[in-house]
Amino acid sequence: MKKLGLILIFLIVTILQIPAQDRPKPNKNGGGVCNSSAVYLPAPELSEQLKEKVGKTSVYIRIIIDKEGNVTSAEAVTGNPLLHEEAEKAALKTKFKITTLSGKPVEVRCEIVYNFGSSKNDFFGNKIVEDSTAPIISLGKLNNNAKILPMPQVRQDLISRIDSRFDAYVRVRINLQTGKIVSAIDVSSNKGLFSQRAIEAAKEAMFEPILTEFSTVYGTGILSYKFSDINKETIYNDNPKSFLIIKKEKLLNDATRFIPEVAVPKNTNCAGGDVEVLVLVDIDGKVISAKAVSGNPQLYEYVEEKALEVKFSSISITPPVYAVGKILFRFPLKKCISSVSVDKRVLTISHFPPNTEPIFEPKLKYPEAAGIINVSGKVIVEILVDETGGVEEAKVISGHPLLRAESLQAAKLTKFKPFSLGGIPVKARGILTYNFNPKFTANAFAKTK
């Protein structure tokens, strides 16, 4: 019996020594790993000593996400116990997209996996969510373009571990509207402590914002660090070199090689007239970003899609020159008289009377999830105002997904002076346009149409 007991103890100790990444994956309870659904996924905060001790491993955290996308419960189910507490804290700070079932928000149970020391993540599991629909511009080497360029910091007693013959290279992605880094990936030939510290430094770099007229546009390039840069002070550059030459024009229609024909979409009410779209044109003559700036809001989403089909002649100039200007789309004006239909014995007019303004507008909040990637732009909401002046129905027509929920909620709480036709109370359909800007959230407002 004594011999059998010793064998059992040996087996238990052996199992506990198996690295977490080599153990069987946990039961996902049908929810699975949900990292990709996060709109904000912060990294666990580890001390330098702990980072070196745990090495490369994975931790699974079982979570519950409420109907608003917040994590309300987090429990470590596998991985090194030394990492459990910090991983659970990070999981509770994570934000997710709202999950719906038959149009209604629902609670979700799933798991977050943190890959510590993995090259698949920015650094020790830190994932920064990006706008996957945004255009990306290649920028090349970026050291001379940075307004703020921190240097890699390494403890003196660890510097001897670094091979001084190799430089560290980090590929960064920049939100050009804010100048902030949204992701950083090690592309060095020699992986190790130096490249890890280089990633940490690169993520704190800042660039001069450009193309602020557009929704999100990314730039990607390389930041390089020499061994001699270790523990140097941060570089501050008041006049950084521009990585793009922007040529601004008023109207670009005459310069196009191809411009698609347009027609009023069937699902619009009494839409027509001129619509102007601000476009960004790359060196190949391709429109990579388009934003409607004037005209009927019901046509904005349609013309922005059409603007992306416009072609220009390519430009062979170094450094690359990008053009910014407007494309004018003209739609036939409909002979449209406000239609009247019977709706539950209350008449409905198809659009707001002239100079309609709300008598109450709720304060518009800039969504926290949108702030993570600095989203800006317009959201257009179509509403039906009942005979008392309250909003009976609201539907988002266009706008960034992270801005839609706040706009829809604001629209539903908006109040109008009751409409009437010939002294008879009526319902009215109309458009509310919400403008979001992360720098001026207090100035967000709605325009009626």
Side-chain angles (χ1 to χ4, degrees):
M1 287 297 292
K2 186 176 181 181
K3 187 175 181 180
L4 179 61
L6 289 173
I7 293 172
L8 288 173
I9 292 171
F10 173 78
L11 289 172
I12 292 170
V13 171
T14 303
I15 291 170
L16 290 174
Q17 289 177 343
I18 297 175
Q21 66 268 27
D22 295 332
R23 298 181 196 169
K25 290 186 177 180
N27 185 341
K28 304 297 190 304
N29 273 347
V33 174
C34 49
N35 291 48
S36 61
S37 298
V39 295
Y40 175 54
L41 185 58
E45 297 179 0
L46 305 184
S47 65
E48 294 297 326
Q49 184 179 5
L50 186 55
K51 288 178 184 178
E52 294 168 16
K53 190 172 182 178
V54 299
K56 185 176 180 179
T57 186
S58 297
V59 174
Y60 282 78
I61 307 294
R62 186 167 295 150
I63 63 170
I64 298 175
I65 306 168
D66 67 16
K67 296 178 182 180
E68 296 180 352
N70 300 310
V71 177
T72 57
S73 174
E75 179 186 6
V77 292
T78 187
N80 192 323
L82 294 174
L83 301 170
H84 285 186
E85 183 178 357
E86 292 302 327
E88 287 171 348
K89 287 180 182 178
L92 288 169
K93 297 176 184 177
T94 305
K95 303 292 183 183
F96 287 86
K97 300 174 184 176
I98 296 174
T99 301
T100 58
L101 185 63
S102 300
K104 295 181 178 181
V106 293
E107 187 180 86
V108 176
R109 296 170 184 265
C110 61
E111 291 179 353
I112 298 175
V113 57
Y114 294 103
N115 297 309
F116 294 88
S118 171
S119 60
K120 293 180 180 179
N121 300 286
D122 286 344
F123 183 62
F124 282 94
N126 185 23
K127 176 184 175 183
I128 302 176
V129 181
E130 303 172 22
D131 182 352
S132 60
T133 63
I136 303 171
I137 298 173
S138 181
L139 302 173
K141 294 181 180 180
L142 296 171
N143 288 57
N144 293 331
N145 308 112
K147 191 173 183 180
I148 301 175
L149 185 62
M151 294 291 118
Q153 301 297 305
V154 180
R155 279 192 355 228
Q156 288 296 329
D157 60 322
L158 298 178
I159 292 179
S160 59
R161 300 185 186 182
I162 298 173
D163 191 333
S164 61
R165 296 172 300 170
F166 294 95
D167 295 340
Y169 297 93
V170 182
R171 179 182 291 117
V172 295
R173 184 168 292 186
I174 309 164
N175 182 319
L176 296 181
Q177 283 66 49
T178 65
K180 293 181 179 180
I181 303 293
V182 296
S183 67
I185 301 172
D186 175 29
V187 291
S188 308
S189 58
N190 188 39
K191 313 289 184 183
L193 179 62
F194 184 22
S195 59
Q196 291 173 355
R197 297 299 183 266
I199 290 174
E200 289 183 311
K203 285 163 61 176
E204 300 301 321
M206 285 288 295
F207 295 81
E208 198 71 42
I210 61 172
L211 302 174
T212 53
E213 315 96 310
F214 293 93
S215 300
T216 307
V217 179
Y218 292 129
T220 184
I222 299 293
L223 287 173
S224 62
Y225 301 90
K226 298 182 180 296
F227 178 81
S228 58
D229 290 329
I230 293 176
N231 293 341
K232 280 187 176 180
E233 293 184 359
T234 297
I235 296 173
Y236 295 91
N237 189 354
D238 292 332
N239 296 296
K241 183 180 178 182
S242 176
F243 37 56
L244 280 183
I245 297 178
I246 308 295
K247 185 179 180 183
K248 295 195 174 183
E249 302 285 349
K250 290 184 178 180
L251 196 63
L252 296 173
N253 286 58
D254 291 341
T256 60
R257 281 195 300 111
F258 168 77
I259 187 165
E261 294 183 1
V262 294
V264 177
K266 293 180 179 179
N267 61 347
T268 57
N269 296 321
C270 306
D274 293 348
V275 181
E276 287 185 323
V277 183
L278 189 68
V279 296
L280 174 63
V281 185
D282 69 11
I283 57 174
D284 296 320
K286 180 182 177 182
V287 175
I288 60 173
S289 187
K291 184 176 182 180
V293 292
S294 70
N296 192 317
Q298 294 183 79
L299 299 170
Y300 278 9
E301 188 171 10
Y302 172 76
V303 295
E304 286 171 351
E305 292 177 359
K306 287 295 182 180
L308 293 173
E309 299 177 18
V310 175
K311 302 294 182 185
F312 294 85
S313 299
S314 59
I315 304 171
S316 299
I317 299 177
T318 304
V321 175
Y322 284 71
V324 173
K326 294 178 181 179
I327 297 175
L328 178 66
F329 291 95
R330 290 193 158 161
F331 294 84
L333 286 169
K334 290 184 178 180
K335 293 182 179 179
C336 186
I337 302 173
S338 297
S339 59
V340 178
S341 60
V342 176
D343 181 8
K344 296 180 182 180
R345 293 179 293 178
V346 178
L347 297 177
T348 301
I349 57 176
S350 63
H351 61 271
F352 287 159
N355 303 318
T356 296
E357 293 292 340
I359 57 174
F360 170 76
E361 296 177 80
K363 187 176 180 181
L364 196 63
K365 296 178 181 178
Y366 186 74
E368 182 180 353
I372 303 301
I373 55 175
N374 293 285
V375 173
S376 63
K378 295 181 179 180
V379 178
I380 299 173
V381 182
E382 184 179 46
I383 62 172
L384 173 64
V385 179
D386 66 21
E387 64 273 24
T388 68
V391 174
E392 182 177 304
E393 298 175 6
K395 179 179 71 174
V396 175
I397 296 176
S398 67
H400 195 283
L402 293 180
L403 302 175
R404 292 189 174 202
E406 175 63 26
S407 301
L408 193 62
Q409 183 178 2
K412 289 178 179 178
L413 297 175
T414 304
K415 301 292 183 182
F416 294 83
K417 183 179 178 181
F419 299 106
S420 63
L421 188 64
I424 301 173
V426 296
K427 297 182 180 183
R429 294 191 180 276
I431 297 292
L432 291 176
T433 303
Y434 293 94
N435 297 291
F436 289 85
N437 187 320
K439 292 183 179 179
F440 306 104
T441 54
N443 293 336
F445 63 98
K447 293 193 302 182
T448 60
K449 190 173 179 68

